[in-house]
Amino acid sequence: MRAVRPPAPLPLGGVSPTSSPVSPDGPDTGRPGATEGHVHDVLVVGGGPAGSSCAYWLADAGWDVALVEKKVFPRVKTCGDGLTPRSVRQIADMGIEGALAGAHRYNGLRAHAFGRVLDLPWPEHPTFPGYGYVITRHDLDAIVNERAVKAGATVWQGTEAIEPILDDGPTGLAPGAGLPTCAGAVVKDRASGTTRSVRARYVVVADGANSRFGRALGTARDRNLPMGMALRGYYSSPGHDQTFIESHLDIRDGDGGVVPGYGWIFPLGDGRVNVGVGLLSTDKRWKGVNTSTLMDHFVAYAPKEWELSPASALGAPTGGKLPMGLAVGPRVGTTTLVVGDAGGSINPFNGEGIAYGYESGRLAAASLGEALSGDGFEALLRYETRLEDAYGLYYRVARAFIRVISRPELMQLCVGTGIRSEPLMSWILRIMANLLRPDELGPAEAAYRALAAIARMTPEAA
C-alpha cells in the first residue's frame, strides 16, 4: 500500500504531524458498497472540504471508507471562494491541482483601509506556493469529492445522516469529557425517502458549521470563544480577472462607525466577482450589527472600477455563522472524531475555513489509520493533540486579536498604523494567513513569537 505524505509544516511553535493513515495489512480487495450487514472501517458524515479530504487520505491508504453527503454534487455552497496558498498545498498533495487549470489564479492581497491601498504579494515560503485560486465551492467540492471516489471511497450523494447509531458500551472517558460511542448512522435517501443503517468501526463528523449530526452526539459551541458572521453575493464586473484579491479592513455601519470585520472582492475570472462582508466578532457590542446592511454599504462604497451596484448583482446574497478558533467540542469520542467547520476549525484571524477543513480532515485520517492498525482509542486521542500542536497557540493569539479589534478605538489604531507601512502589512499578512516560515526567524516570525509569549501568560477572558 502507498504511504500518505504528511501535511505541510504548520505555524511556528506548532508541530507538523509526521504520522499518516497507516495502510491495512494485506491486499485491498475492493469496496463492498451497501452490502447489508457490512461494517465499514470509517463512515464520514459530510462531503465538504474536511469530509472529502479525510475520506481521500483514508481510501488512498487502502481503508474501507464510506461517505454520505445530503446534497448532490455539484451544489451551491456559501463561501468566499478564495483558496490561499495553504489550501493550494493540500489540493496539490491530493494530486488534483491540475483540475483547477480553469480556475482564476491570483498572486496576493490588495488591502484597503482609511483611504490607503497596498498590494501585498503572497510571501515566499519553503512549503506553500506563492499564489492562490478563486473557484466556487460548486466546482471545487465536486472535484475533491470525486478524488476521494477515485481513491476508493464509497460515496452516497443525496443521502443524509439523520441519526447516530449509539453503542451503550464504555467510553473510556470521564463523564461529559467526550462524545458517546457511535457505531454508524441511520441514513435517508432524499430522493426516495427510504432509510437504512450504515455501520462503521469509526465515524467522522464533517457536516459543517451547523452540524446537526454533531449536535445529536453532544457537540456544542463554547460561547466564550469567537463566532463570526459572513454574507456573500456574486456580481458581474469588469475587474473579474484582477490578479489580486481585495480586502477592505475598515468597513462601516450605517452611522459611519468602523466595525470589527472586513469586506472582500474576489475575482473569479469568468465575468463575476465574489463580494462579501465578514464580522469577526459577535461580542455583545456588535450583536445588533446587520450583515445585510453592512453588505449594502460596502457595495455602495466599493472602488468604482469594480462597477458594483444592485444592477450588477447576480442574485440575492447568502450567508451564515462561522464558529472559529476550535470553538466547538468535544471533538473526540471512543469511535468518533469531529473535523472542519463542525469542530469550529475556522481561522479567527481572517475567517478562512477551507484550508483548515482539508488539514483537519487529514489529521483525523492519520489518527484513524493508527486506530484501525491496532492503537484504538489512544490513536483518536492523538487527534486532539495534533489539533492543539497545529493550531492551539496560534488560535489563542488570534482570539486575543479578535478581542482587540472588538474595541473600535484599538481597531482604528492597529489598522490605521499598519496600512501606512508596506513592510508591516506584509508581516501582518504572513501572520494572519498562517504562512510563517519554519526555517528562519524574520520580522513576522519574531512578532508572532512575542505575541504568542504574551498569549501564553494571559488568561483568556470568560
Side-chain angles (χ1 to χ4, degrees):
M1 290 293 175
R2 183 162 55 89
V4 176
R5 289 164 291 170
L10 292 156
L12 261 179
V15 178
S16 176
T18 56
S19 47
S20 302
V22 181
S23 300
D25 294 331
D28 181 3
T29 57
R31 300 288 177 259
T35 304
E36 186 68 28
H38 177 73
V39 178
H40 298 275
D41 290 328
V42 179
L43 170 64
V44 180
V45 176
S52 290
S53 167
C54 186
Y56 164 73
W57 288 112
L58 285 167
D60 187 61
W63 298 106
D64 171 10
V65 185
L67 183 150
V68 293
E69 164 56 45
K70 67 178 181 180
K71 299 290 182 66
V72 176
F73 294 112
R75 51 90 174 100
V76 175
K77 186 71 173 179
T78 298
C79 184
D81 298 334
L83 300 183
T84 66
R86 288 191 77 96
S87 293
V88 176
R89 170 60 196 267
Q90 291 301 313
I91 286 169
D93 283 356
M94 287 186 277
I96 50 176
E97 188 179 354
L100 304 187
H104 182 61
R105 180 165 154 167
Y106 71 97
N107 301 321
L109 176 74
R110 177 172 296 135
H112 289 249
F114 301 105
R116 293 178 178 264
V117 182
L118 289 177
D119 283 356
L120 305 169
W122 286 122
E124 293 184 3
H125 196 280
T127 300
F128 302 116
Y131 58 87
Y133 293 96
V134 184
I135 178 174
T136 66
R137 291 282 298 280
H138 174 276
D139 297 331
L140 177 66
D141 287 359
I143 291 169
V144 180
N145 190 261
E146 179 61 23
R147 181 60 170 142
V149 172
K150 289 181 178 179
T154 299
V155 174
W156 293 298
Q157 299 182 38
T159 304
E160 182 176 7
I162 58 174
E163 181 183 350
I165 299 173
L166 301 181
D167 189 326
D168 294 332
T171 66
L173 294 163
L179 301 172
T181 302
C182 184
V186 177
V187 303
K188 179 179 181 179
D189 182 279
R190 302 188 80 185
S192 67
T194 58
T195 62
R196 58 190 171 87
S197 295
V198 178
R199 292 184 173 271
R201 296 166 66 186
Y202 296 99
V203 176
V204 175
V205 181
D207 56 340
N210 293 326
S211 192
R212 293 182 180 179
F213 197 82
R215 292 201 309 271
L217 285 169
T219 63
R221 182 175 73 87
D222 182 345
R223 297 184 179 274
N224 293 318
L225 300 184
M227 164 76 87
M229 296 179 66
L231 192 71
R232 74 96 174 101
Y234 293 109
Y235 290 75
S236 58
S237 172
H240 68 94
D241 56 355
Q242 291 277 338
T243 57
F244 280 75
I245 61 172
E246 216 166 81
S247 182
H248 293 250
L249 307 177
D250 60 343
I251 59 170
R252 299 169 185 270
D253 59 22
D255 297 324
V258 177
V259 302
Y262 58 96
W264 71 80
I265 305 174
F266 291 177
L268 280 154
D270 61 359
R272 297 179 296 164
V273 292
N274 182 311
V275 180
V277 293
L279 190 65
L280 288 178
S281 173
T282 51
D283 180 279
K284 60 184 178 182
R285 285 167 286 195
W286 309 106
K287 289 290 187 183
V289 174
N290 185 302
T291 50
S292 295
T293 302
L294 282 181
M295 180 78 158
D296 292 342
H297 286 297
F298 178 59
V299 168
Y301 291 100
K304 299 306 179 187
E305 61 263 27
W306 294 102
E307 296 184 13
L308 303 182
S309 71
S312 64
L314 299 174
T318 59
K321 296 179 179 180
L322 308 173
M324 302 185 296
L326 298 177
V328 180
R331 289 177 292 272
V332 176
T334 47
T335 58
T336 311
L337 296 179
V338 182
V339 299
D341 288 2
S345 68
I346 294 170
N347 183 349
F349 270 122
N350 60 8
E352 180 186 5
I354 296 175
Y356 302 95
Y358 292 146
E359 291 177 3
S360 64
R362 190 171 179 177
L363 292 170
S367 290
L368 287 162
E370 294 164 0
L372 288 160
S373 298
D375 286 358
F377 179 51
E378 292 300 318
L380 299 195
L381 290 175
R382 288 197 285 273
Y383 169 66
E384 190 67 34
T385 301
R386 285 172 165 134
L387 286 179
E388 181 62 27
D389 289 343
Y391 311 124
L393 180 58
Y394 177 77
Y395 280 0
R396 186 168 182 174
V397 173
R399 292 193 295 267
F401 166 77
I402 294 295
R403 290 195 297 274
V404 169
I405 68 168
S406 292
R407 299 177 59 181
E409 68 280 8
L410 295 180
M411 164 77 169
Q412 294 186 56
L413 177 63
C414 293
V415 176
T417 301
I419 198 68
R420 288 173 170 77
S421 168
E422 184 171 347
L424 179 56
M425 284 299 290
S426 295
W427 306 342
I428 292 171
L429 174 63
R430 191 183 283 275
I431 294 172
M432 293 181 68
N434 206 354
L435 297 174
L436 295 161
R437 294 184 66 107
D439 59 335
E440 65 181 45
L441 184 64
E445 290 75 20
Y448 172 76
R449 286 187 175 180
L451 292 171
I454 294 170
R456 283 191 182 100
M457 295 184 295
T458 306
E460 294 197 82

